[in-house]
Amino acid sequence: MTTFRTLTIAVACAGLLTGCGSRLNPMNWFGGSRSEAVTTAPAAPVDGRPLVQQVTKLEVLLASPAGAIVSATGLPATQGYWNVDLVAEPLGADGVLTYRFVVAPPTEARRVSTPQSREVTAGAFISGKDLERVRQVVVIGQTNRMTSAR
């Protein structure tokens, strides 16, 4: 009888945490992202790939207790950009994890076309151990940066 009672209470508590906006709910750890203009010139690329022109979307997906996935979508100037990546910078003492959204330019001139045809997406994994220290995720492009905070 006590096992059934304990199990019932545990399920009820889990249901309450999942349904509420509590900071204890892992689904609420990283909220909606916001965009900010870049006010300083980005640093020169280390690996030769420039930053994507604009970061249009940022999501931090808590896939499992093992960690989270950072997914960012960007908009380059023209079609044909490839070899996209989120390059992590060292974690700041303030808990800010910054990624540079880099892309390789096309080898020949390309059309501008529609924004949907130019979109590129990159992702990165944050381990559970590292996630404990992260309070904010920032993805930097040439003209803006997007931020998602706990």
Side-chain angles (χ1 to χ4, degrees):
M1 184 73 170
T2 59
T3 305
F4 178 74
R5 186 177 189 183
T6 304
L7 182 61
T8 303
I9 292 172
V11 169
C13 289
L16 288 173
L17 285 177
T18 303
C20 70
S22 168
R23 298 196 110 213
L24 298 175
N25 180 358
M27 299 305 287
N28 293 332
W29 283 355
F30 287 93
S33 58
R34 67 178 191 280
S35 180
E36 304 169 352
V38 173
T39 56
T40 59
V46 176
D47 64 2
R49 294 178 290 175
L51 293 172
V52 71
Q53 184 177 16
Q54 179 185 7
V55 182
T56 58
K57 184 177 179 183
L58 170 61
E59 292 180 299
V60 180
L61 309 168
L62 297 169
S64 71
I69 298 171
V70 177
S71 174
T73 302
L75 194 61
T78 65
Q79 292 180 337
Y81 279 79
W82 61 288
N83 196 13
V84 299
D85 201 4
L86 293 177
V87 178
E89 295 183 353
L91 180 64
D94 53 356
V96 176
L97 180 58
T98 303
Y99 289 96
R100 301 178 73 248
F101 194 152
V102 296
V103 294
T107 55
E108 57 189 42
R110 295 291 180 111
R111 298 173 6 140
V112 173
S113 195
T114 64
Q116 294 85 0
S117 69
R118 293 181 283 146
E119 280 186 347
V120 293
T121 302
F125 180 75
I126 305 172
S127 71
K129 181 179 177 183
D130 291 339
L131 191 60
E132 291 174 2
R133 300 179 297 153
V134 175
R135 297 285 166 245
Q136 185 177 36
V137 175
V138 178
V139 176
I140 300 174
Q142 285 180 4
T143 61
N144 73 323
R145 72 181 67 217
M146 293 204 75
T147 304
S148 183
R150 288 189 188 217

